[in-house]
Amino acid sequence: MTGRTGLRTAPAAAGFADRVQRRRRRSPISLTPLIDVVFILLIFFMLASSFLDWRAIDLDAPVRAAAGPGDGTALVIEVGPDTLALAGESVGLATLEARLGAALADRPGRSVLIVPAPAVPLQRTIAVLDRARAAGAGDIRLGRPAR
């Protein structure tokens, strides 16, 4: 009886040993193909992306500060480094929106011409432009100061 049991267990034990040795004989997984695939994907996405699509404001200032569309009805906002004037009258940045809104309520189709001085920071001009847009101005233009 032991002979049969010994014969039966010996091949089973040998089969297990063979499986263990086969696992040990396998070569390790190489990371080189994975790195190649990552670099190919990186190059693909770099070429597929567009880096030139910046959100920009195209501004073409006229040669001189002119009135609106031709009838002289544009509201002129003169922006200085420390001053702000609406139609020649000094106003503050906080009151600009209310005063401009009242002026536009009379004639809603009027254009607004923003004329920044040469030393004015761009952020101040953009703040005035935002206030004019909030006041309801539809036609906003930028101009250069008269020389």
Side-chain angles (χ1 to χ4, degrees):
M1 210 176 214
T2 57
R4 287 185 174 189
T5 311
L7 291 176
R8 288 183 186 171
T9 57
F16 178 73
D18 288 340
R19 279 188 238 139
V20 170
Q21 283 187 2
R22 275 190 243 142
R23 286 185 191 165
R24 288 184 188 162
R25 286 187 217 154
R26 289 184 185 169
S27 62
I29 298 174
S30 175
L31 292 179
T32 305
L34 177 66
I35 293 171
D36 290 344
V37 168
V38 169
F39 278 125
I40 289 171
L41 288 174
L42 178 69
I43 291 171
F44 172 76
F45 285 116
M46 285 177 61
L47 293 175
S49 299
S50 175
F51 296 108
L52 297 178
D53 187 22
W54 294 97
R55 304 286 182 224
I57 301 172
D58 294 327
L59 299 176
D60 292 325
V63 176
R64 60 183 173 83
D71 57 356
T73 61
L75 290 168
V76 179
I77 302 173
E78 297 171 3
V79 183
D82 298 323
T83 61
L84 194 62
L86 173 64
E89 187 176 327
S90 181
V91 295
L93 187 60
T95 60
L96 175 67
E97 186 176 339
R99 306 261 317 260
L100 188 59
L104 289 172
D106 296 337
R107 294 177 61 191
R110 291 177 87 174
S111 62
V112 175
L113 180 65
I114 299 174
V115 182
V120 173
L122 181 62
Q123 185 60 44
R124 181 164 168 80
T125 305
I126 296 297
V128 171
L129 191 137
D130 287 340
R131 297 286 173 117
R133 178 76 61 195
D139 184 18
I140 302 174
R141 301 171 185 204
L142 287 176
R144 291 185 186 169
R147 293 184 183 188

